[in-house]
Amino acid sequence: MVQETKLEGLGDVKSLCVYGTPADCVRAAVHLLDEKFDFCFSGINSGFNAATNVLYSGTVSAAIEANLFNIPAIAVSSQWVKGHSKFETAARVAVEVFNKLDDLRTSSPKYKRTLP
């Protein structure tokens, strides 16, 4: 089920609430949003998405789903240390990666994507 919602601090930005898996959220965004998006950052997941954990990760599955639509995607995880996840560190690194990807995309026509 998908319903339109308002998110505090986003003003008039169209926001959707998706009751489903992370991959369902990506599929809803691809089909229901008015504008196409250039990147999909999935997460931040608590704990590493490594080894066999990637087979069960909703965070990774959302990134894979985006990739099926030719949308570059990254699954973001945070390290679990002494009972706490370092979300701030993961968010900072994700923003740095996004900025580098966006610079690459805008500076090189080779990396511009097209949806099928």
Side-chain angles (χ1 to χ4, degrees):
M1 182 170 130
V2 178
Q3 66 185 45
E4 201 160 331
T5 187
K6 291 286 184 189
L7 294 176
E8 186 177 322
L10 290 182
D12 292 335
V13 173
K14 182 177 182 179
S15 302
L16 301 174
C17 179
V18 179
Y19 296 92
T21 67
D24 293 335
C25 294
V26 171
R27 186 169 287 270
V30 167
H31 293 294
L32 299 176
L33 292 179
D34 297 330
E35 297 181 29
K36 295 176 183 170
F37 51 100
D38 296 319
F39 301 108
C40 173
F41 277 75
S42 177
I44 299 171
N45 183 70
S46 181
F48 289 127
N49 282 316
T52 57
N53 290 337
V54 299
L55 299 174
Y56 308 101
S57 171
T59 305
V60 173
S61 70
I64 291 170
E65 186 73 19
N67 217 261
L68 293 173
F69 290 98
N70 291 324
I71 299 167
I74 294 176
V76 181
S77 300
S78 65
Q79 184 177 8
W80 184 259
V81 178
K82 297 180 183 176
H84 300 288
S85 286
K86 297 187 174 187
F87 292 111
E88 295 82 11
T89 302
R92 187 173 58 252
V93 171
V95 168
E96 290 172 10
V97 169
F98 171 78
N99 289 335
K100 289 178 183 179
L101 288 173
D102 195 44
D103 289 346
L104 180 65
R105 181 187 63 86
T106 57
S107 66
S108 175
K110 175 182 175 186
Y111 292 98
K112 292 189 184 216
R113 68 167 180 84
T114 56
L115 288 177

